[in-house]
Amino acid sequence: MTQPIPEAAHALLDDKPTGHLATLRPDGRLSVNPVALLFDGTTVRVSTTKDRKKYRNLCADPRVALSVPHRNNPNLYIEIRGHVEMADDVDRVFIDAIAQHYMGQPTYDLDPPDAERVTLTIVAEQVSMPRIPLSKNPPNAADGA
Amino acid sequence: MTQPIPEAAHALLDDKPTGHLATLRPDGRLSVNPVALLFDGTTVRVSTTKDRKKYRNLCADPRVALSVPHRNNPNLYIEIRGHVEMADDVDRVFIDAIAQHYMGQPTYDLDPPDAERVTLTIVAEQVSMPRIPLSKNPPNAADGA
């Protein structure tokens, strides 16, 4: 059931993008928020904390969708639809890897002392790439209109 | 029931951002895609065409969420949760306004000849701004971790 992430998206996913993660709230509304992410060549993972709405939402309903635009050209993007598997990041290994990748520092030091980190592994059931070619178009959102 | 868009978000919404619009698919999966948008000082609107999955999804379920990051700092964003009201853009007035705003050209000329444009008016039931201050932070996604 898991779909592979196409080669054409690997560079985009490695380039410190900001993804937008959609979840379903217990009140029935949709939610979508910016997230940092790590891609290990196969799987996309995101970090959150147990006090975030995102965590509450995913405990009740693991369905997600993730839109990841190219950092310098939002017309180029990958969409991943599926669900998450959650695991406690007890030693903060994953959030520190995020800090190393995005911030160039060994640890993520912006959490309050009691923050409980959780790693969200995105199980890709469906993957879409944009129909527009992955070329060097100028940054411009209107093709996504 | 409609929530106002806070003043602090107006500049962000006017600055040709790429929003990420979450919808629910008939198969029960979430979807989220980049979109251009226009903000008239009160309401956010998005254009789509009747052959897009987005339109199909919204005909069956009008719920949406929209994440709009600052164009130059993805840590700064507004999230709007609610639903859409749809109207045919028969004279292409709205999609042409998108082209004027984003592309600096009078008409949107990238559609196939038979494209039927629809304008999505986002009815904001809930609005969230990030807890991080709307200051001139350097672009960096890791605060959104």
Side-chain angles (χ1 to χ4, degrees):
Chain A
M1 182 124 186
T2 303
Q3 292 297 310
I5 306 296
E7 280 281 329
H10 287 203
L12 180 161
L13 290 168
D14 272 336
D15 190 32
K16 307 178 192 173
T18 298
H20 294 263
L21 186 73
T23 58
L24 261 168
R25 294 163 50 96
D27 68 7
R29 290 191 179 90
L30 297 174
S31 183
V32 56
N33 300 98
V35 291
L37 58 94
L38 278 187
F39 176 61
D40 65 4
T42 306
T43 304
V44 172
R45 291 185 176 83
V46 169
S47 183
T48 191
T49 56
K50 291 191 178 178
D51 62 346
R52 301 284 177 96
K53 297 275 175 32
K54 195 185 291 122
Y55 176 74
R56 176 203 64 181
N57 295 354
L58 291 171
C59 286
D61 190 328
R63 285 178 288 175
V64 293
L66 180 68
S67 171
V68 189
H70 189 286
R71 194 152 63 101
N72 298 315
N73 184 347
N75 284 337
L76 308 183
Y77 75 100
I78 182 171
E79 182 195 2
I80 303 173
R81 298 184 291 275
H83 64 277
V84 295
E85 294 173 351
M86 299 199 280
D88 289 351
D89 185 15
V90 282
D91 297 325
R92 301 180 66 81
V93 170
F94 181 73
I95 185 59
D96 289 343
I98 291 266
Q100 288 154 28
H101 189 63
Y102 278 80
M103 306 163 81
Q105 60 184 54
T107 58
Y108 185 77
D109 53 9
L110 300 176
D111 276 341
D114 58 347
E116 295 180 84
R117 281 277 160 190
V118 178
T119 302
L120 312 177
T121 297
I122 300 191
V123 180
E125 298 167 12
Q126 295 178 339
V127 177
S128 298
M129 294 284 290
R131 282 171 293 181
I132 47 176
L134 280 171
S135 61
K136 297 286 182 196
N137 293 331
N140 176 336
D143 285 351
Chain B
M1 185 123 183
T2 303
Q3 293 297 309
I5 306 295
E7 280 280 329
H10 288 203
L12 180 162
L13 290 168
D14 273 336
D15 189 31
K16 307 177 191 172
T18 298
H20 294 263
L21 186 74
T23 58
L24 262 167
R25 293 162 50 96
D27 68 7
R29 290 192 179 90
L30 297 174
S31 183
V32 56
N33 300 99
V35 291
L37 58 95
L38 277 188
F39 176 61
D40 66 4
T42 305
T43 303
V44 172
R45 290 184 177 84
V46 170
S47 183
T48 192
T49 55
K50 291 191 179 179
D51 62 346
R52 302 283 177 100
K53 296 276 176 34
K54 196 186 290 122
Y55 176 74
R56 176 202 65 182
N57 296 352
L58 291 169
C59 285
D61 190 328
R63 287 179 286 175
V64 292
L66 180 68
S67 171
V68 189
H70 189 286
R71 195 153 62 101
N72 298 313
N73 184 347
N75 284 336
L76 308 182
Y77 75 100
I78 182 171
E79 182 194 2
I80 303 173
R81 297 185 291 275
H83 64 277
V84 294
E85 292 172 354
M86 297 197 282
D88 288 351
D89 185 14
V90 281
D91 297 324
R92 302 183 62 84
V93 171
F94 182 73
I95 186 59
D96 288 344
I98 292 264
Q100 287 153 29
H101 189 62
Y102 279 80
M103 304 164 83
Q105 60 185 54
T107 57
Y108 185 77
D109 52 8
L110 300 176
D111 277 340
D114 58 346
E116 294 179 84
R117 281 277 161 190
V118 178
T119 302
L120 312 177
T121 296
I122 300 190
V123 180
E125 298 168 11
Q126 296 178 338
V127 178
S128 299
M129 294 283 291
R131 284 171 291 182
I132 48 175
L134 279 171
S135 62
K136 296 286 180 193
N137 293 330
N140 176 338
D143 285 352

mmCIF file of all heavy atoms in Angstrom, chain A residues 102-126:
data_model
loop_
_atom_site.group_PDB
_atom_site.id
_atom_site.type_symbol
_atom_site.label_atom_id
_atom_site.label_comp_id
_atom_site.label_asym_id
_atom_site.label_seq_id
_atom_site.Cartn_x
_atom_site.Cartn_y
_atom_site.Cartn_z
ATOM 1 N N TYR A 102 18.097 21.856 9.413
ATOM 2 C CA TYR A 102 17.496 23.164 9.082
ATOM 3 C C TYR A 102 18.255 24.343 9.670
ATOM 4 O O TYR A 102 18.240 25.434 9.108
ATOM 5 C CB TYR A 102 16.041 23.222 9.576
ATOM 6 C CG TYR A 102 15.048 22.566 8.650
ATOM 7 C CD1 TYR A 102 14.884 21.189 8.643
ATOM 8 C CD2 TYR A 102 14.282 23.321 7.768
ATOM 9 C CE1 TYR A 102 13.972 20.576 7.792
ATOM 10 C CE2 TYR A 102 13.371 22.722 6.917
ATOM 11 C CZ TYR A 102 13.225 21.344 6.928
ATOM 12 O OH TYR A 102 12.332 20.756 6.083
ATOM 13 N N MET A 103 18.852 24.156 10.845
ATOM 14 C CA MET A 103 19.406 25.283 11.573
ATOM 15 C C MET A 103 20.925 25.199 11.707
ATOM 16 O O MET A 103 21.549 26.129 12.188
ATOM 17 C CB MET A 103 18.767 25.353 12.971
ATOM 18 C CG MET A 103 17.227 25.389 12.931
ATOM 19 S SD MET A 103 16.453 24.986 14.543
ATOM 20 C CE MET A 103 16.599 26.563 15.387
ATOM 21 N N GLY A 104 21.512 24.056 11.292
ATOM 22 C CA GLY A 104 22.957 23.903 11.400
ATOM 23 C C GLY A 104 23.460 23.936 12.822
ATOM 24 O O GLY A 104 24.568 24.398 13.095
ATOM 25 N N GLN A 105 22.648 23.469 13.749
ATOM 26 C CA GLN A 105 23.069 23.420 15.145
ATOM 27 C C GLN A 105 22.773 22.030 15.694
ATOM 28 O O GLN A 105 21.870 21.351 15.212
ATOM 29 C CB GLN A 105 22.376 24.511 15.954
ATOM 30 C CG GLN A 105 20.861 24.436 15.983
ATOM 31 C CD GLN A 105 20.246 25.619 16.744
ATOM 32 O OE1 GLN A 105 20.522 26.777 16.435
ATOM 33 N NE2 GLN A 105 19.438 25.312 17.745
ATOM 34 N N PRO A 106 23.546 21.579 16.713
ATOM 35 C CA PRO A 106 23.464 20.165 17.092
ATOM 36 C C PRO A 106 22.166 19.763 17.780
ATOM 37 O O PRO A 106 21.746 18.610 17.662
ATOM 38 C CB PRO A 106 24.662 19.977 18.041
ATOM 39 C CG PRO A 106 25.022 21.347 18.503
ATOM 40 C CD PRO A 106 24.633 22.283 17.402
ATOM 41 N N THR A 107 21.539 20.699 18.457
ATOM 42 C CA THR A 107 20.307 20.352 19.174
ATOM 43 C C THR A 107 19.248 21.414 18.918
ATOM 44 O O THR A 107 19.551 22.576 18.622
ATOM 45 C CB THR A 107 20.529 20.238 20.700
ATOM 46 O OG1 THR A 107 21.032 21.484 21.186
ATOM 47 C CG2 THR A 107 21.502 19.114 21.039
ATOM 48 N N TYR A 108 17.998 21.011 19.082
ATOM 49 C CA TYR A 108 16.875 21.943 18.948
ATOM 50 C C TYR A 108 16.605 22.534 20.327
ATOM 51 O O TYR A 108 16.201 21.824 21.248
ATOM 52 C CB TYR A 108 15.646 21.191 18.425
ATOM 53 C CG TYR A 108 14.483 22.113 18.148
ATOM 54 C CD1 TYR A 108 14.456 22.899 17.012
ATOM 55 C CD2 TYR A 108 13.406 22.192 19.033
ATOM 56 C CE1 TYR A 108 13.394 23.738 16.743
ATOM 57 C CE2 TYR A 108 12.340 23.034 18.769
ATOM 58 C CZ TYR A 108 12.340 23.803 17.627
ATOM 59 O OH TYR A 108 11.286 24.649 17.375
ATOM 60 N N ASP A 109 16.850 23.813 20.475
ATOM 61 C CA ASP A 109 16.835 24.426 21.811
ATOM 62 C C ASP A 109 15.685 25.414 22.007
ATOM 63 O O ASP A 109 15.745 26.265 22.890
ATOM 64 C CB ASP A 109 18.179 25.118 22.081
ATOM 65 C CG ASP A 109 18.558 26.102 20.980
ATOM 66 O OD1 ASP A 109 17.706 26.376 20.094
ATOM 67 O OD2 ASP A 109 19.698 26.594 20.987
ATOM 68 N N LEU A 110 14.651 25.278 21.197
ATOM 69 C CA LEU A 110 13.542 26.234 21.303
ATOM 70 C C LEU A 110 12.327 25.652 22.020
ATOM 71 O O LEU A 110 11.301 26.324 22.136
ATOM 72 C CB LEU A 110 13.141 26.729 19.908
ATOM 73 C CG LEU A 110 14.252 27.451 19.124
ATOM 74 C CD1 LEU A 110 13.778 27.797 17.722
ATOM 75 C CD2 LEU A 110 14.712 28.716 19.854
ATOM 76 N N ASP A 111 12.425 24.428 22.514
ATOM 77 C CA ASP A 111 11.298 23.834 23.233
ATOM 78 C C ASP A 111 11.298 24.264 24.696
ATOM 79 O O ASP A 111 12.361 24.449 25.289
ATOM 80 C CB ASP A 111 11.397 22.295 23.203
ATOM 81 C CG ASP A 111 10.817 21.693 21.932
ATOM 82 O OD1 ASP A 111 10.040 22.388 21.248
ATOM 83 O OD2 ASP A 111 11.144 20.539 21.644
ATOM 84 N N PRO A 112 10.119 24.369 25.305
ATOM 85 C CA PRO A 112 10.082 24.499 26.765
ATOM 86 C C PRO A 112 10.621 23.216 27.398
ATOM 87 O O PRO A 112 10.640 22.158 26.763
ATOM 88 C CB PRO A 112 8.593 24.684 27.067
ATOM 89 C CG PRO A 112 7.876 24.217 25.863
ATOM 90 C CD PRO A 112 8.795 24.367 24.694
ATOM 91 N N PRO A 113 11.085 23.312 28.664
ATOM 92 C CA PRO A 113 11.774 22.167 29.280
ATOM 93 C C PRO A 113 10.942 20.885 29.324
ATOM 94 O O PRO A 113 11.496 19.790 29.261
ATOM 95 C CB PRO A 113 12.082 22.656 30.697
ATOM 96 C CG PRO A 113 12.013 24.142 30.635
ATOM 97 C CD PRO A 113 11.041 24.482 29.548
ATOM 98 N N ASP A 114 9.642 21.016 29.428
ATOM 99 C CA ASP A 114 8.822 19.810 29.589
ATOM 100 C C ASP A 114 8.234 19.303 28.273
ATOM 101 O O ASP A 114 7.351 18.453 28.279
ATOM 102 C CB ASP A 114 7.696 20.095 30.588
ATOM 103 C CG ASP A 114 6.832 21.274 30.121
ATOM 104 O OD1 ASP A 114 7.258 22.003 29.189
ATOM 105 O OD2 ASP A 114 5.732 21.470 30.676
ATOM 106 N N ALA A 115 8.723 19.812 27.147
ATOM 107 C CA ALA A 115 8.149 19.397 25.858
ATOM 108 C C ALA A 115 8.405 17.920 25.601
ATOM 109 O O ALA A 115 9.512 17.426 25.795
ATOM 110 C CB ALA A 115 8.765 20.229 24.733
ATOM 111 N N GLU A 116 7.349 17.233 25.170
ATOM 112 C CA GLU A 116 7.489 15.817 24.830
ATOM 113 C C GLU A 116 7.409 15.688 23.316
ATOM 114 O O GLU A 116 6.340 15.861 22.726
ATOM 115 C CB GLU A 116 6.380 14.999 25.491
ATOM 116 C CG GLU A 116 6.440 14.984 27.002
ATOM 117 C CD GLU A 116 5.297 14.152 27.575
ATOM 118 O OE1 GLU A 116 5.438 12.931 27.665
ATOM 119 O OE2 GLU A 116 4.246 14.759 27.906
ATOM 120 N N ARG A 117 8.519 15.352 22.714
ATOM 121 C CA ARG A 117 8.593 15.259 21.253
ATOM 122 C C ARG A 117 8.077 13.921 20.739
ATOM 123 O O ARG A 117 8.316 12.869 21.343
ATOM 124 C CB ARG A 117 10.038 15.433 20.805
ATOM 125 C CG ARG A 117 10.483 16.892 20.788
ATOM 126 C CD ARG A 117 10.050 17.552 19.487
ATOM 127 N NE ARG A 117 10.020 19.013 19.603
ATOM 128 C CZ ARG A 117 9.478 19.798 18.663
ATOM 129 N NH1 ARG A 117 8.955 19.285 17.565
ATOM 130 N NH2 ARG A 117 9.451 21.088 18.828
ATOM 131 N N VAL A 118 7.375 13.985 19.632
ATOM 132 C CA VAL A 118 6.825 12.813 18.969
ATOM 133 C C VAL A 118 7.234 12.880 17.500
ATOM 134 O O VAL A 118 7.182 13.954 16.896
ATOM 135 C CB VAL A 118 5.282 12.800 19.074
ATOM 136 C CG1 VAL A 118 4.692 11.606 18.338
ATOM 137 C CG2 VAL A 118 4.849 12.798 20.532
ATOM 138 N N THR A 119 7.655 11.765 16.958
ATOM 139 C CA THR A 119 8.025 11.707 15.545
ATOM 140 C C THR A 119 6.871 11.114 14.744
ATOM 141 O O THR A 119 6.345 10.050 15.095
ATOM 142 C CB THR A 119 9.290 10.852 15.351
ATOM 143 O OG1 THR A 119 10.345 11.419 16.135
ATOM 144 C CG2 THR A 119 9.712 10.825 13.889
ATOM 145 N N LEU A 120 6.484 11.825 13.704
ATOM 146 C CA LEU A 120 5.400 11.393 12.818
ATOM 147 C C LEU A 120 6.008 10.816 11.544
ATOM 148 O O LEU A 120 6.648 11.549 10.775
ATOM 149 C CB LEU A 120 4.510 12.581 12.447
ATOM 150 C CG LEU A 120 4.051 13.495 13.583
ATOM 151 C CD1 LEU A 120 3.222 14.667 13.018
ATOM 152 C CD2 LEU A 120 3.251 12.717 14.619
ATOM 153 N N THR A 121 5.849 9.539 11.347
ATOM 154 C CA THR A 121 6.292 8.902 10.109
ATOM 155 C C THR A 121 5.123 8.889 9.140
ATOM 156 O O THR A 121 4.044 8.378 9.456
ATOM 157 C CB THR A 121 6.759 7.464 10.379
ATOM 158 O OG1 THR A 121 7.895 7.517 11.244
ATOM 159 C CG2 THR A 121 7.137 6.756 9.090
ATOM 160 N N ILE A 122 5.340 9.484 7.984
ATOM 161 C CA ILE A 122 4.248 9.605 7.016
ATOM 162 C C ILE A 122 4.216 8.380 6.116
ATOM 163 O O ILE A 122 5.162 8.131 5.359
ATOM 164 C CB ILE A 122 4.380 10.907 6.206
ATOM 165 C CG1 ILE A 122 4.338 12.061 7.225
ATOM 166 C CG2 ILE A 122 3.289 11.002 5.137
ATOM 167 C CD1 ILE A 122 4.204 13.404 6.674
ATOM 168 N N VAL A 123 3.161 7.614 6.228
ATOM 169 C CA VAL A 123 2.959 6.436 5.380
ATOM 170 C C VAL A 123 2.242 6.918 4.118
ATOM 171 O O VAL A 123 1.079 7.335 4.169
ATOM 172 C CB VAL A 123 2.133 5.360 6.109
ATOM 173 C CG1 VAL A 123 1.938 4.144 5.203
ATOM 174 C CG2 VAL A 123 2.820 4.957 7.419
ATOM 175 N N ALA A 124 2.976 6.902 3.006
ATOM 176 C CA ALA A 124 2.478 7.471 1.751
ATOM 177 C C ALA A 124 1.589 6.459 1.042
ATOM 178 O O ALA A 124 2.083 5.483 0.489
ATOM 179 C CB ALA A 124 3.647 7.873 0.863
ATOM 180 N N GLU A 125 0.297 6.683 1.066
ATOM 181 C CA GLU A 125 -0.624 5.798 0.341
ATOM 182 C C GLU A 125 -0.765 6.247 -1.115
ATOM 183 O O GLU A 125 -0.984 5.430 -1.998
ATOM 184 C CB GLU A 125 -1.996 5.805 1.027
ATOM 185 C CG GLU A 125 -1.932 5.276 2.462
ATOM 186 C CD GLU A 125 -3.204 5.567 3.235
ATOM 187 O OE1 GLU A 125 -4.216 5.970 2.634
ATOM 188 O OE2 GLU A 125 -3.188 5.397 4.472
ATOM 189 N N GLN A 126 -0.677 7.555 -1.320
ATOM 190 C CA GLN A 126 -0.761 8.115 -2.671
ATOM 191 C C GLN A 126 0.212 9.288 -2.753
ATOM 192 O O GLN A 126 0.333 10.068 -1.798
ATOM 193 C CB GLN A 126 -2.170 8.630 -2.963
ATOM 194 C CG GLN A 126 -3.228 7.537 -3.005
ATOM 195 C CD GLN A 126 -4.616 8.092 -3.254
ATOM 196 O OE1 GLN A 126 -4.879 9.264 -3.027
ATOM 197 N NE2 GLN A 126 -5.517 7.233 -3.710
#
